[in-house]
Each structure stands twice: as structure tokens, then as C-alpha cells.
Amino acid sequence: MTSSPPAGATARPAAALGALTARALGTCARTPSLLLTPLFTSAFFLVIYEAQLSAVAGTATPGGRYVDLVLPLCLLTTAFTGGATAGQLLVRDLTSGYHARLWLTPVPRWTLLAAPVLAGIAVLTAQAAALTGLGVLLGAEPAAGPGALAALVGATVLLGTGFLLLAAAVGLHTGNTAAVGSVTLVFFPLSFFTATFVPRDLLDGWMGTAADLNPLTPPLEALRGLLALDWPEQTPWPGAAVTAVILVLGAVAARLALVRRTRTGV
């Protein structure tokens, strides 16, 4: 069991959180796999999908721009691949012993979890913004105007925050990099059992049923709606509900992992 800090010792939560978040961001900047790999992977697929499939499936998409269909898919992929960042940061600190040393200080326990999550949110925001910018260069043009692009980035980050919390919970609970990666492995195959390459209304048979049951379909459709529809026509509520569920599950899992780690030590 790890020793507790001296009685009466205190630390300012805001200062501790700021310092730990800055350190986590510095780690991301020095670790290309955390910062660039999710972005480059999604950007690669965006360019390939647009180049190879736009001539075939572009006429079936609103406005005839296939990039409007695949950009949200690539943003969705970025949300759960980039979401592993918080878990990876926690595992690094656990295995290096840094986390154990912090545990002996009066730093509030919740900041040890919140800092990598906040760093992950900052990284995910940059990744989503860069990918959206690439989509604009490839011809993406939201029907609701430029404000929809900001909403697209914000929705991606909100969804990704749920995955960040889930990954942080796994990393804090297991201290294992492979276990953190399993969060991505669970959701990545699901992205192929939805309306991946064509609009949802073109799917039928068992694939249409799979798309209807897939929890990633509502968020994906909400992201696509931000590009294809004007503001009065938006129907984001099913996607928002799924996002809220993921956020709540992630927050509960992270809280339980932190309580367990507090009780058993590091």
C-alpha cells in the first residue's frame, strides 16, 4: 500500500492540474506516435477513399461530393484512435514510477487522471481541426456554412472525450499499453458495420440491420448531417444520446479505476 501524504498537506488543484497537463502535452509533443499517428492514419484513408471511390459513389451523396460522406467517417475513426492518448500517457507514468512518486505528494488524486484526459482533448482538437481542414481542401462544403465545420470539430472532440475517459480507465486499472489499445480495437471493426462508404438509405439486407444496431451509426449520421444539411434540418439527437452514454460510461469507469488505484496503491 502506498503511503499517504502528511496530514494537513494541501495543494492547489488548479496549479497542480495545470502543471500536470502541461507535462502531459510535452510528452505528446515528444512522442510522435501519440500526436501524429491517429491523424496521419485518418488523413491517409480520407485521401484514398476520396480518390478511389468518389467517381463511383459520389453521385449518391448529397451535393455529389463524396468527401462530405467520408470526412465524418475519418473523424469518427480519429475520435476513438486518438482517444487512446490518455490511457497511453497514464501507462507511461505508471511504468516509469512517476505516478508512484506523485502519489506521495499532496497533489489531489483526481488531477492525476484529469491531466492526461485534458491533454488528450487538446491533441484530439488539433487532430480533428487538421483533418477537417484537409477535407475542405479536398472539396468538403457544409450546407450550413463555415459554422458547421466548427461544430464538426466540436462534435468529434466531444465524442472522443468519452473514448479518452474509457482509455484512461483501462490504463489506470491495468497499467498495460496493449490493454489500452484494446479500446481502439473494440470500436474500429464496428466502423465497418455501419454506412461506411455509402449513405445509410442505400444499405439493405443484413448490412442494413447491422448498421441500425451499430452504436456508432447515430454519431456518424449526426456528423454527416453537419455537412449535408442546413441547420433547421439537423437531427443530432440520436448521435448526441450515444455520445452522452459513452461519456457517462467513460466517466464512471475512470472514477472506479481511480478509486481502486487509491485503495490498492500504485
Side-chain angles (χ1 to χ4, degrees):
M1 179 74 71
T2 301
S3 301
S4 300
T10 59
R12 289 182 295 177
L17 181 60
L20 291 173
T21 302
R23 179 183 180 276
L25 286 171
T27 300
C28 290
R30 295 189 300 270
T31 312
S33 61
L34 293 176
L35 187 62
L36 299 178
T37 300
L39 174 60
F40 284 171
T41 301
S42 296
F44 171 79
F45 282 118
L46 175 61
V47 172
I48 293 298
Y49 292 158
E50 163 64 18
Q52 294 194 8
L53 299 176
S54 60
V56 177
T59 55
T61 61
R65 295 181 300 273
Y66 192 64
V67 66
D68 288 357
L69 193 75
V70 293
L71 174 58
L73 173 68
C74 293
L75 286 169
L76 178 68
T77 302
T78 302
F80 56 73
T81 54
T85 300
Q88 301 291 0
L89 288 170
L90 276 167
V91 170
R92 289 171 66 94
D93 285 345
L94 286 168
T95 55
S96 69
Y98 179 76
H99 205 277
R101 295 191 295 273
L102 281 178
W103 217 258
L104 298 173
T105 72
V107 171
R109 299 293 180 254
W110 63 268
T111 62
L112 306 182
L113 174 66
V117 172
L118 287 176
I121 290 173
V123 170
L124 183 58
T125 301
Q127 292 169 340
L131 192 63
T132 300
L134 176 60
V136 171
L137 290 177
L138 293 174
E141 187 178 340
L149 295 176
L152 195 64
V153 173
T156 302
V157 173
L158 192 61
L159 179 62
T161 300
F163 294 116
L164 282 164
L165 288 166
L166 288 172
V170 173
L172 194 59
H173 181 76
T174 65
N176 184 278
T177 300
V180 172
S182 68
V183 176
T184 297
L185 292 177
V186 167
F187 289 98
F188 187 74
L190 284 177
S191 66
F192 290 95
F193 287 91
T194 183
T196 307
F197 302 117
V198 295
R200 169 63 192 89
D201 56 10
L202 294 183
L203 294 180
D204 55 15
W206 70 268
M207 183 58 80
T209 301
D212 288 339
L213 297 175
N214 192 332
L216 295 183
T217 297
L220 177 60
E221 291 300 296
L223 291 174
R224 284 176 171 168
L226 286 170
L227 287 177
L229 304 174
D230 206 347
W231 293 119
E233 301 171 308
Q234 300 285 335
T235 54
W237 307 119
V242 172
T243 299
V245 168
I246 295 175
L247 279 168
V248 170
L249 289 176
V252 170
R255 173 62 179 170
L256 292 175
L258 182 62
V259 169
R260 175 187 175 277
R261 181 67 67 171
T262 301
R263 289 174 177 173
T264 60
V266 288

